[in-house]
Amino acid sequence: MAELTLPAASRPKPGKSFKAPSGAKRVKTFKVYRWDPDQGGNPTIDSFEIDLEQCGPMVLDALIKIKNEIDSTLTFRRSCRECVCGSCSMNIDGANTLACTKFIAEVKGDVRIYPLPHMSVIKDLVPDLTQIFAQYQSIEPWLKTETLPPERERLQTPEDRAKLDGLWECILCFSCSTACPSYWWNGERYLGPAILLQAYRWIADSRDEAIGDRLDQLEDPFRLYRCHTIMNCTKTCPKGLNPAKAIAEIKKLMVERR
């Protein structure tokens, strides 16, 4: 059996340790991945003891507290705090999720926080999303039509609109794609579950008139068919969506049009 190991320069080492203030009543330890490109060297795992009596209930609350009160150099993305923007996606307690909706109380023992896996790291908990957003752009995520636009909006029946449920809610946090082994090994060519779910969102839209062209763009041994239905994507989605089902629907359309 093959044994996979990290390159020596990628193996995290023990980092700094920050103790809770004296008198802290309910202490929880947060072990946070740190890497600074300006410093170089191996990444480290810093330990922060937080008094939960003085902290909000979510992992994001703890990260903000660390940055504001303990170590201002800690770097991470965040914005809405309402599971809408997808900015604070990271790997928490071994699973990809959103820090703003992950309850600290759900984690037994120390809270281990890492950036999204198998992505280049810009700094600390911030992954480089350049490639995956370029893949998103490649599916042309906008309504494409050939007929003249109506005087007002393009209408849909309630039944056609219902077909978009479970698709439009995607917030592009990329928790699913970075949990997918097929995307880990073929990320430069395989679009991954997040982008394919977005692609199906437009294919399923009754107002779109470029379904044939969209399917043509996906007809490729790698762009679509690297999906092996592992289901990590559906399991980890913090919005409860089913990217694997969307990919299966695209594959069905590919077969039906032959």
Side-chain angles (χ1 to χ4, degrees):
M1 180 181 294
E3 181 179 352
L4 302 178
T5 58
L6 288 172
S10 298
R11 298 172 187 168
K13 296 182 177 180
K16 299 177 182 178
S17 182
F18 299 86
K19 298 296 183 181
S22 60
K25 298 178 180 179
R26 194 156 57 97
V27 176
K28 188 85 165 178
T29 300
F30 292 78
K31 294 186 177 295
V32 184
Y33 179 99
R34 308 296 304 275
W35 184 73
D36 186 345
D38 294 331
Q39 299 296 326
N42 287 52
T44 61
I45 305 298
D46 288 0
S47 295
F48 301 89
E49 292 184 356
I50 301 295
D51 182 1
L52 298 187
E53 295 292 339
Q54 304 296 324
C55 181
M58 304 300 181
V59 171
L60 182 59
D61 292 317
L63 289 173
I64 292 173
K65 184 177 181 65
I66 291 170
K67 185 172 181 67
N68 288 346
E69 302 178 14
I70 302 175
D71 185 352
S72 62
T73 66
L74 177 62
T75 304
F76 55 92
R77 292 188 178 112
R78 56 101 172 182
S79 183
C80 73
R81 300 187 65 168
E82 296 291 341
C83 195
V84 174
C85 70
S87 298
C88 64
S89 57
M90 54 191 71
N91 187 280
I92 303 171
D93 194 30
N96 295 349
T97 189
L98 300 174
C100 67
T101 57
K102 181 67 174 180
F103 283 95
I104 298 172
E106 294 177 346
V107 182
K108 297 180 180 179
D110 298 343
V111 182
R112 302 179 183 276
I113 307 173
Y114 289 76
L116 291 175
H118 288 263
M119 305 285 277
S120 297
V121 174
I122 296 176
K123 185 180 180 184
D124 293 346
L125 301 175
V126 178
D128 186 349
L129 302 178
T130 302
Q131 174 182 290
I132 203 165
F133 270 114
Q135 292 173 323
Y136 178 52
Q137 184 180 19
S138 75
I139 65 165
E140 300 180 327
W142 53 79
L143 199 65
K144 298 171 67 175
T145 62
E146 296 179 358
T147 60
L148 294 175
E151 293 183 1
R152 298 183 65 183
E153 67 270 19
R154 297 181 184 272
L155 300 178
Q156 277 185 308
T157 65
E159 293 77 16
D160 284 337
R161 170 59 186 80
K163 294 177 182 178
L164 303 183
D165 289 339
L167 303 172
W168 66 267
E169 299 95 328
C170 174
I171 57 176
L172 292 173
C173 69
F174 305 118
S175 291
C176 61
S177 290
T178 53
C180 173
S182 292
Y183 192 76
W184 297 346
W185 311 135
N186 302 285
E188 293 182 358
R189 299 179 64 183
Y190 173 48
L191 293 181
I195 306 306
L196 289 173
L197 181 142
Q198 289 286 337
Y200 184 64
R201 177 258 176 273
W202 297 103
I203 291 170
D205 195 319
S206 62
R207 300 165 297 177
D208 193 90
E209 299 172 357
I211 295 177
D213 290 342
R214 294 187 186 278
L215 292 177
D216 286 342
Q217 292 176 5
L218 298 176
E219 186 72 79
D220 179 271
F222 278 87
R223 288 172 66 86
L224 170 65
Y225 292 106
R226 286 298 94 184
C227 172
H228 298 302
T229 322
I230 297 169
M231 302 300 291
N232 280 10
C233 55
T234 299
K235 181 179 179 180
T236 198
C237 177
K239 298 287 287 187
L241 308 183
N242 192 343
K245 181 181 178 182
I247 295 171
E249 293 296 334
I250 297 175
K251 291 179 179 179
K252 285 168 59 177
L253 291 173
M254 291 291 195
V255 173
E256 289 172 359
R257 73 173 188 157
R258 289 177 180 173

